[in-house]
Amino acid sequence: MKFAIQSRRDDQSNELMELAKSYLIDFGLKFDEEEPEIVLSIGGDGTLLHAFHRYLHRLDKTAFVGIHTGHLGFYADWKPSELEKLVLSIAKKEFNVVEYPLLEVQVHRHHSDSSTYLALNEATIKSPDVTLVMDVELNGEHFERFRGDGLCISTPSGSTAYNKALGGAIIHPTLQAFQLTEMASINNRVFRTVGSSLVLPAHHNCVLKPVHEQQFNMTVDHISMTETDVKSITFNVANEKVRFARFRPFPFWERVHDSFVSNE
């Protein structure tokens, strides 16, 4: 089996990376950063996001597993003290592969080529200086004209991240869906939005259309860009999926409890 390792690059993560690499090679696995079958992410959830985007071109052939060297994450769920146990399980191929949905983002421009992106957590649209004004279409029908700070479109597995901070719903990561959540929308006698997160199933799509020519900032996970020539942005559940190597039960709601409810 071929493997690669993504490190957060702090001292502890780098030390664990070298140790894991040595152990896995001793067990007969091959270190291959070009075509890995399994990728170890050592750091936090952000480190795994970097690993995901690094291997976007081979999502159907690569599975991810995370070791956290900080706070327990939703993607990085192994402790550093469990490294030897994890390495042994990888060497023995004692794992199942689970797949979670991703968000596809298509940016259509007036005067240049379109671009397509995949998000593991979310995509955001924000205006840096003035109010963001966007028409929101659901399945080809006008739904609302949004005015406010911005919009967040998240995957189920990303629903516990920025989406939750905005007041969005937490969605189980296996559900084939995506979520649209507002950022500080303007609601008064003149301007109205739904004011709640919208959870859309896999056979639906959402299109955002700028009402005016304006510059806005767009993110896809940790990747940030500035757009000025956008005709529309389409969001839907992607055909591609992210694959995680699962070595033991993954109690999602227990993880939610431990992360957001428990004081321990």
Side-chain angles (χ1 to χ4, degrees), residues 110-179:
H110 289 286
H111 303 105
S112 57
D113 293 339
S114 300
S115 300
T116 300
Y117 307 93
L118 289 178
L120 176 56
N121 264 7
E122 77 277 308
T124 67
I125 311 293
K126 299 179 183 178
S127 176
D129 301 314
V130 297
T131 299
L132 182 73
V133 184
M134 286 272 184
D135 278 334
V136 179
E137 293 183 0
L138 302 180
N139 299 328
E141 298 292 333
H142 183 267
F143 180 75
E144 68 178 16
R145 176 161 290 183
F146 172 84
R147 291 177 173 83
D149 285 357
L151 292 160
C152 174
I153 303 88
S154 64
T155 67
S157 54
S159 66
T160 55
Y162 190 25
N163 167 76
K164 181 182 180 300
L166 295 170
I170 295 177
I171 303 176
H172 195 279
T174 58
L175 294 179
Q176 301 295 311
F178 65 104
Q179 183 171 182

Side-chain angles (χ1 to χ4, degrees), residues 55-76:
Y55 293 105
L56 273 178
H57 61 289
R58 51 178 294 113
L59 292 179
D60 59 333
K61 303 178 183 68
T62 299
F64 300 89
V65 60
I67 302 173
H68 68 87
T69 52
H71 297 293
L72 181 65
F74 280 85
Y75 300 130

Side-chain angles (χ1 to χ4, degrees), residues 2-4 32-39 51-64 118 240-243:
K2 300 176 183 178
F3 74 95
D32 187 338
E33 291 188 300
E34 297 301 319
E35 298 181 337
E37 297 164 75
I38 190 165
V39 174
F52 166 78
H53 282 273
R54 182 179 179 183
Y55 293 105
L56 273 178
H57 61 289
R58 51 178 294 113
L59 292 179
D60 59 333
K61 303 178 183 68
T62 299
F64 300 89
L118 289 178
E240 300 87 346
K241 298 181 186 298
V242 63
R243 303 165 77 242

Side-chain angles (χ1 to χ4, degrees), residues 11 19 26 31 39 62 69 74 86 89 92 101 105-106 118 124 144-146 169 184 197 199 210 232 254 257:
D11 291 342
L19 199 56
D26 286 345
F31 182 70
V39 174
T62 299
T69 52
F74 280 85
L86 175 58
S89 296
K92 292 183 176 181
V105 184
Q106 300 176 55
L118 289 178
T124 67
E144 68 178 16
R145 176 161 290 183
F146 172 84
S197 291
V199 179
S232 64
E254 181 179 326
H257 173 272

